[in-house]
Amino acid sequence: MPVENPEFGLFREFPEPVCLIDPEGTILDANKAFKSRLPETGAEIPGCNIYELLSATLQSPESAAMRKAMVQKALRTGGHLSFDNEKDGIHWRYIIHPVGSAENRITRLLVIVHDITKSKEEEFQSRKDKLVFKALMDATPGSVIILNAEGRISGINRYAMEVFGKSEPELYACDPFEIVHPEDRPVVLEKFRAILEKNIEETVEAKICVHGNPEQARWFIIYARKTVIDGEPFVVTVGLDIDERKQMEQELKRSRDRLDFTLEKSHLGWWEFNPVTNSTRRTLEHDRIFGYDALLPEWNFNLFLDHIIDEDRAMVKNLSHQALEKQKDFTFECRIRRNDGKIRWIWVAGGFQFDARTNHSLMSGLVRDISERKQQAERQEELQLELQQAQKMEAIGQLAGGIAHDFNNALTAILGNAELLAKKAPPSSRFIEHIDDIRKSALRSASMTRQLLAFARKEIVTPKVCQIDQEIEHLLPMIESLIGSHIRFLWRPASGGRCVLIDPSQIDQILINLCVNARDAIVSNGTITIETTSVVIRGGEFSSAHPCQIPGEYVRIAICDTGCGIDTRALPHIYEPFFTTKEPGKGTGLGLSTVYGILKQNKGWIDCVTEPGEGATFIVYLPAFRSNGAVSRHDEPAESATNISNGTILLVEDSSDILSILQGLLEEKGFRILAAMNAATALETADLHPGAIDLLVTDIMMPEMNGIELSEKLEATRPGLKTLFMSAYAQETFYQPKNLYKKASFIQKPFNINSFLAMVSKMLASS
């Protein structure tokens, strides 16, 4: 409907230009503001044609004609009209309202002119700002998305559109959280709500599905914060593609995991020490080495030092400070006390590297538990010392055996001559006493060589199955008389009737020597205890340096005293011959060496536990022997030998003195003697002798061919030949099974004449 004609007076003081025109464009009235804005025409405004007056303000004649046509249309339709015009930088907006008459005919037009220059400038600046903002968003190297409070997109840049793979209209209509991978979507939604509610900034790493495809998901780091625009809250998000970095991190983590696994399986702990902050990074294996099941919350240099045992702490502290001062690579070994109290050896190695982040050098390295290696090295060193000791003892044994051989030959000659002199001298002769002294001295010397041979394991013995408790009980009276009444003696048998295979006389030597040493170690009153028991040494005990180095069943004999004990410096030498801790004249130094030799000969072992001033315990181990029947210490009574004094004897001895004595002695008894000083001569003599040879008496140790080989050769031509072997010490081949003769007997040098003659008669009588 046309606007009713208002009274124009209302518009005269109106600040904006206003005029009233008829349908032909004639100005009927105008206010001051309208008149002041028109160019000078020299005519009164009312009555002028508005199209002519305004032609100067329009941009072109074509524009004026177009505007006139628009006005004419408004007159016909009764509609309102608005158009803008700009000239010389001033923007005008014309608003034309049709004014109807009482008959509803449009007879006039009300024209209101607005200066919209400022609003146009503001509109232009707004468009410009939007274009700049859009350009900045598109230039951002990441996805920029602006979300409203409902989580819908209010703004998005080109990069984000490429990630979504949708057009801008489609994006404004979709749910932007659908692009987030389902695994990470709940976290992102939670962060979005927290930003709106708490007005905070958030950062989250999440997988974004490129083009909505989870199979093409890439890692993004999303920075988000709340902002308010025209009073409305929005969340601005910027997402940066970190997929390559994330893959590198994951590969680095896998590499670290593999490295940690390798270090753990190698039992190596890694550590990194920051000298400025006194803090340490390390692997789990590092803390495990120090006795912890899990990583401690904190670890520093002082805590490390606290684990070092007192004896090594100063050394470690000094080395560490030197390494820090000079910043050089280092390595050391030390002992620690673990969290569980165990003492362990560790190896530590480290070096320095400059860290650009902290602008100073960091110390890093490895640590490893080397306790087993140390134990093996110590055991290897012990074995090496034992080997050296065994080699030394073997060399001494060879020397002792050689000395004993020559010495026993000499003693045999001395004893033989002394006994011959004693028989020929008148009973009242003053020389009888001197001859007896010679004999006693020779026998004492023979006892010493016997001990030397026992140490050297060259003494020929006759092993028998003996029940150890019975053997010791037979010896108890002698032991008690040896140690004296001022020393208390205790006997505690507990072997359970176990047996051993040994010459009974060797058991006597072992116990007598050890008990005499125990007696001499007790200054006044004290106690000597002998205990027996049966033990089983298993393989695991060998690794812990058990004295029995071969697993098996053993009989254990312990001789314990409450004496002065043995100095630890003397312990490595106590089994060496002639080594003694006793005062001069109170010991030969052969007691323990004899025991040592006897035990080695019988595959036994000996150990000593002692503390100076606390006494000593010698523990003897002898291999147990399984016996089904009762055993006896004493031999069965031998039948009395017939005193035979005839027969032919082949006598072979490489010592001319002994050969002469024995030949004279046997010939005096009525025997026919074929004498030879070596095996070759003996074989020739036997070949030339046409008659029978009843007995071969031969020394074992001879040059070129020994007595055993001689016996074998003679028996090949003279079957059934009996042999009596003589020796100053044992030949190892005598013990080999193929050389054990049932018809052979043995007599140890030196021997007395009566014993020799009795054995010869006994062997001939058994023919």
Side-chain angles (χ1 to χ4, degrees):
M1 292 293 294
V3 180
E4 293 184 357
N5 295 333
E7 291 294 334
F8 190 74
L10 296 174
F11 295 98
R12 294 192 185 279
E13 301 302 326
F14 200 72
E16 295 288 336
V18 180
C19 72
L20 187 65
I21 64 173
D22 63 13
E24 300 298 329
T26 303
I27 299 174
L28 302 176
D29 203 349
N31 66 357
K32 294 180 180 180
F34 185 87
K35 295 176 181 178
S36 64
R37 296 292 178 94
L38 292 175
E40 293 292 335
T41 62
E44 290 294 331
I45 294 299
C48 293
N49 191 283
I50 192 171
Y51 301 116
E52 296 175 356
L53 290 174
L54 296 179
S55 61
T57 65
L58 297 175
Q59 295 175 339
S60 65
E62 294 79 8
S63 298
M66 184 178 64
R67 300 289 187 266
K68 184 176 181 180
M70 293 173 65
V71 171
Q72 293 300 319
K73 183 178 180 181
L75 286 169
R76 291 192 304 270
T77 62
H80 294 276
L81 177 65
S82 173
F83 59 85
D84 296 340
N85 185 53
E86 183 268 333
K87 186 175 180 63
D88 299 329
I90 300 175
H91 291 266
W92 302 96
R93 175 165 292 168
Y94 298 91
I95 302 174
I96 300 172
H97 299 275
V99 179
S101 63
E103 295 84 9
N104 278 333
R105 294 177 57 243
I106 299 174
T107 57
R108 290 170 294 177
L109 296 171
L110 183 64
V111 180
I112 302 174
V113 183
H114 293 287
D115 185 348
I116 62 170
T117 302
K118 184 176 181 181
S119 63
K120 278 288 185 180
E121 290 176 350
E122 290 175 351
E123 181 183 347
F124 174 77
Q125 186 63 41
S126 176
R127 288 199 305 271
K128 180 180 178 181
D129 290 344
K130 289 181 179 179
L131 289 173
V132 171
F133 178 70
K134 181 67 173 175
L136 288 173
M137 288 180 62
D138 290 342
T140 301
S143 65
V144 180
I145 302 174
I146 301 174
L147 303 174
N148 61 20
E150 287 74 33
R152 294 294 177 175
I153 295 176
S154 296
I156 190 167
N157 71 342
R158 178 180 52 81
Y159 187 95
M161 292 171 62
E162 293 175 356
V163 173
F164 274 89
K166 295 182 179 181
S167 66
E168 192 167 357
E170 290 175 330
L171 289 173
Y172 283 106
C174 76
D175 181 359
F177 293 101
E178 290 182 356
I179 197 175
V180 181
H181 195 280
E183 293 178 357
D184 300 330
R185 195 174 298 159
V187 175
V188 174
L189 283 169
E190 183 182 351
K191 296 283 186 182
F192 173 75
R193 297 188 189 99
I195 293 170
L196 288 173
E197 294 172 3
K198 301 178 182 178
N199 196 23
I200 58 175
E201 295 183 7
E202 285 284 2
T203 301
V204 63
E205 292 183 1
K207 294 187 291 295
I208 300 299
C209 302
V210 178
H211 293 180
N213 186 357
E215 299 296 327
Q216 299 181 15
R218 296 179 65 84
W219 279 97
F220 276 71
I221 183 169
I222 302 171
Y223 303 92
R225 64 176 300 176
K226 180 181 177 181
T227 186
V228 178
I229 303 173
D230 293 336
E232 293 185 27
F234 293 88
V235 175
V236 180
T237 68
V238 178
L240 300 179
D241 190 328
I242 59 168
D243 197 68
E244 292 184 2
R245 190 198 80 185
K246 201 72 175 178
Q247 290 179 6
M248 291 177 62
E249 288 178 353
Q250 291 174 348
E251 181 59 34
L252 180 60
K253 183 180 183 302
R254 285 191 291 268
S255 297
R256 286 179 175 172
D257 290 342
R258 288 193 294 267
L259 178 59
D260 289 347
F261 177 80
T262 302
L263 291 174
E264 181 180 350
K265 293 305 177 184
S266 302
H267 303 293
L268 285 168
W270 174 85
W271 54 269
E272 181 182 78
F273 174 62
N274 188 329
V276 176
T277 61
N278 192 29
S279 61
T280 305
R281 297 169 55 207
R282 69 267 182 224
T283 59
L284 175 59
E285 186 64 19
H286 172 281
D287 286 17
R288 283 177 177 168
I289 289 173
F290 288 86
Y292 300 97
D293 295 331
L295 280 170
L296 293 182
E298 293 183 3
W299 184 275
N300 53 48
F301 183 67
N302 291 331
L303 183 57
F304 165 69
L305 285 179
D306 289 342
H307 280 279
I308 309 298
I309 68 170
D310 296 340
E311 293 83 353
D312 295 351
R313 189 174 297 130
M315 177 270 292
V316 172
K317 195 172 184 179
N318 184 44
L319 286 175
S320 301
H321 287 166
Q322 288 182 6
L324 281 170
E325 182 179 349
K326 299 178 181 179
Q327 293 201 355
K328 290 185 177 180
D329 295 349
F330 61 90
T331 180
F332 60 82
E333 296 176 356
C334 65
R335 289 164 294 175
I336 63 169
R337 188 181 303 277
R338 286 165 41 104
N339 187 49
D340 55 13
K342 295 180 180 178
I343 303 295
R344 305 288 289 180
W345 275 95
I346 63 169
W347 166 84
V348 181
F352 291 83
Q353 57 183 359
F354 183 77
D355 183 21
R357 295 182 299 104
T358 57
N359 200 31
H360 61 263
S361 293
L362 300 177
M363 181 192 298
S364 63
L366 300 171
V367 59
R368 185 174 189 175
D369 189 323
I370 59 169
S371 302
E372 292 184 5
R373 192 194 79 189
K374 275 288 187 181
Q375 291 172 0
Q376 291 174 357
E378 291 173 359
R379 180 57 183 159
Q380 186 68 26
E381 185 177 352
E382 290 175 1
L383 290 174
Q384 185 64 29
L385 291 175
E386 289 176 6
L387 175 62
Q388 293 174 358
Q389 178 72 2
Q391 290 173 337
K392 180 170 68 174
M393 299 291 277
E394 182 64 24
I396 294 174
Q398 293 289 345
L399 175 63
I403 293 173
H405 173 265
D406 294 341
F407 197 45
N408 277 340
N409 277 337
L411 288 175
T412 302
I414 292 172
L415 278 173
N417 284 313
E419 291 185 13
L420 289 175
L421 285 174
K423 287 184 177 182
K424 294 181 179 180
S428 60
S429 173
R430 60 188 182 90
F431 295 109
I432 292 295
E433 183 179 348
H434 299 300
I435 294 171
D436 191 50
D437 288 341
I438 292 172
R439 187 180 61 82
K440 290 178 180 178
S441 296
L443 289 174
R444 281 196 299 271
S445 299
S447 175
M448 291 182 64
T449 57
R450 181 176 175 84
Q451 291 190 70
L452 276 175
L453 288 172
F455 162 73
R457 304 190 291 282
K458 301 297 183 181
E459 183 183 23
I460 294 181
V461 293
T462 306
K464 296 180 180 179
V465 178
C466 307
Q467 193 180 91
I468 198 67
D469 290 349
Q470 289 182 3
E471 292 297 325
I472 296 176
E473 285 174 358
H474 285 297
L475 196 61
L476 293 181
M478 181 183 295
I479 293 174
E480 291 177 339
S481 64
L482 282 173
I483 64 177
S485 59
H486 65 290
I487 295 176
R488 184 186 179 197
F489 178 71
L490 299 177
W491 161 235
R492 294 172 178 169
S495 70
R498 297 308 298 270
C499 298
V500 296
L501 183 64
I502 191 173
D503 190 319
S505 65
Q506 291 182 315
I507 296 179
D508 298 349
Q509 291 184 70
I510 291 172
L511 291 174
I512 289 172
N513 279 305
L514 292 177
C515 288
V516 167
N517 282 347
R519 177 200 66 189
D520 294 342
I522 298 174
V523 178
S524 55
N525 296 327
T527 302
I528 295 175
T529 304
I530 299 179
E531 297 177 343
T532 63
T533 186
S534 177
V535 295
V536 177
I537 306 301
R538 307 191 185 280
E541 296 176 86
F542 171 65
S543 60
S544 60
H546 195 278
C548 287
Q549 297 181 17
I550 300 177
E553 297 182 11
Y554 289 84
V555 175
R556 180 180 181 272
I557 308 171
I559 296 90
C560 179
D561 67 68
T562 58
C564 59
I566 303 173
D567 193 305
T568 53
R569 292 173 296 182
L571 274 177
H573 309 286
I574 58 176
Y575 302 114
E576 297 175 5
F578 308 114
F579 177 84
T580 181
T581 58
K582 299 177 183 179
E583 297 177 8
K586 292 190 176 181
T588 63
L590 289 173
L592 286 178
S593 62
T594 299
V595 173
Y596 180 88
I598 292 172
L599 291 172
K600 289 299 181 184
Q601 189 178 31
N602 290 278
K603 297 181 175 57
W605 311 90
I606 187 169
D607 190 23
C608 177
V609 180
T610 182
E611 287 289 339
E614 300 295 330
T617 299
F618 282 89
I619 305 171
V620 170
Y621 295 87
L622 285 168
F625 183 88
R626 294 184 178 274
S627 176
N628 296 327
V631 295
S632 173
R633 169 182 171 83
H634 304 288
D635 298 333
E636 295 297 328
E639 297 179 2
S640 56
T642 304
N643 188 13
I644 296 176
S645 58
N646 55 39
T648 302
I649 298 174
L650 177 57
L651 178 64
V652 188
E653 170 62 58
D654 61 344
S655 172
S656 58
D657 292 342
I658 298 174
L659 181 63
S660 176
I661 292 171
L662 296 180
Q663 182 178 356
L665 179 64
L666 291 171
E667 288 178 343
E668 184 179 331
K669 290 294 184 180
F671 296 103
R672 182 180 180 184
I673 304 301
L674 303 175
M677 291 191 65
N678 53 62
T681 303
L683 290 172
E684 292 177 3
T685 302
D687 288 341
L688 295 175
H689 182 67
I693 298 178
D694 301 301
L695 180 66
L696 170 64
V697 179
T698 179
D699 191 12
I700 293 177
M701 294 302 297
M702 294 185 296
E704 297 182 0
M705 183 186 299
N706 61 46
I708 297 172
E709 295 169 335
L710 172 62
S711 176
E712 289 176 339
K713 288 184 176 295
L714 287 174
E715 190 166 344
T717 58
R718 295 175 179 269
L721 177 65
K722 293 180 177 295
T723 304
L724 173 60
F725 290 108
M726 305 179 293
S727 182
Y729 79 105
Q731 170 78 353
E732 290 182 359
T733 55
F734 187 73
Y735 291 103
Q736 296 176 7
K738 68 176 183 178
N739 294 323
L740 289 177
Y741 292 90
K742 293 182 179 180
K743 295 177 290 183
S745 296
F746 173 79
I747 187 168
Q748 175 79 50
K749 294 179 182 178
F751 47 76
N752 60 51
I753 291 174
N754 291 334
S755 297
F756 176 74
L757 291 175
M759 185 165 287
V760 169
S761 297
K762 179 180 178 181
M763 293 189 69
L764 290 174
S766 62
S767 300

